[in-house]
Amino acid sequence: MTTKFDEDKNVWNVENYSGNNNVKIEVKNNKEIVSIYKCTNSVFVVSNKCNKIVLDNCKKCGVLFESTITGVDVVRSSGCQIQCKVQVPSFSIDNSDGITVFLTQENYSTIQFYTSKSSETNITVAGASEEEDPKTYIIPSQFISKFVDGKFTTQEVSHI
């Protein structure tokens, strides 16, 4: 498959990259969307603030970005790492496995995570100081639902 790297009507289309560890995407304005599709073993660096980043059908890729307005969507991907340097309101992770998100002390507490049909999703937050180790949090992928006091409740599974 041939690689694709172009911008068309505020959408960066980055497709079919394999084994490239330094794909730079220079966003010009915050209305632009970055769409990374069917890439493997590659690292993408998105500079400047963009509207949204979509990682679709990618394997073992990394994405480093500054900020987004609406968030990051990860769909049908596996073994990917995503790092936000400044700000992102939300992550949507759907039908994906082995996704790791790296956040800073300054931005982690304001972000929402939406997950569906995904497993092995980890959130790593930098330590409060350079001496403090990062902390990793696991987003549950298994839940138990039952009726309690006449209401239907759902909780994460704490053991299997």
Side-chain angles (χ1 to χ4, degrees):
M1 299 208 167
T2 58
T3 60
K4 181 177 182 180
F5 186 91
D6 67 13
E7 187 225 346
D8 183 32
K9 297 179 183 168
N10 286 331
V11 177
W12 283 93
N13 295 296
V14 182
E15 299 178 6
N16 301 314
Y17 274 79
S18 181
N20 191 328
N21 288 328
N22 196 17
V23 180
K24 294 184 186 219
I25 303 164
E26 186 83 27
V27 174
K28 296 177 188 84
N29 70 65
N30 61 13
K31 294 179 182 177
E32 295 177 352
I33 295 171
V34 176
S35 174
I36 302 168
Y37 179 70
K38 269 196 173 178
C39 295
T40 57
N41 297 313
S42 296
V43 177
F44 303 91
V45 179
V46 180
S47 61
N48 303 318
K49 188 177 199 174
C50 65
N51 186 312
K52 176 189 255 188
I53 296 173
V54 179
L55 193 65
D56 186 359
N57 205 11
C58 294
K59 292 178 178 54
K60 296 185 179 179
C61 288
V63 178
L64 174 64
F65 69 97
E66 293 178 24
S67 295
T68 70
I69 293 173
T70 60
V72 175
D73 293 349
V74 181
V75 184
R76 296 183 308 260
S77 296
S78 64
C80 295
Q81 299 182 345
I82 304 158
Q83 182 174 356
C84 174
K85 295 194 291 186
V86 181
Q87 184 180 8
V88 58
S90 67
F91 281 88
S92 174
I93 301 170
D94 184 33
N95 200 19
S96 298
D97 301 307
I99 306 301
T100 302
V101 176
F102 294 92
L103 303 172
T104 66
Q105 273 293 314
E106 292 77 25
N107 66 14
Y108 82 96
S109 64
T110 61
I111 301 171
Q112 293 183 324
F113 292 88
Y114 302 92
T115 60
S116 174
K117 296 183 183 179
S118 297
S119 66
E120 302 171 51
T121 303
N122 297 308
I123 313 303
T124 300
V125 179
S129 67
E130 287 192 23
E131 294 81 33
E132 189 176 324
D133 290 335
K135 292 181 181 169
T136 299
Y137 302 90
I138 299 168
I139 292 183
S141 58
Q142 293 186 348
F143 299 89
I144 186 167
S145 299
K146 59 185 174 180
F147 281 98
V148 177
D149 297 327
K151 293 182 181 179
F152 196 67
T153 64
T154 301
Q155 296 177 317
E156 67 182 75
V157 174
S158 59
H159 65 282
I160 296 178

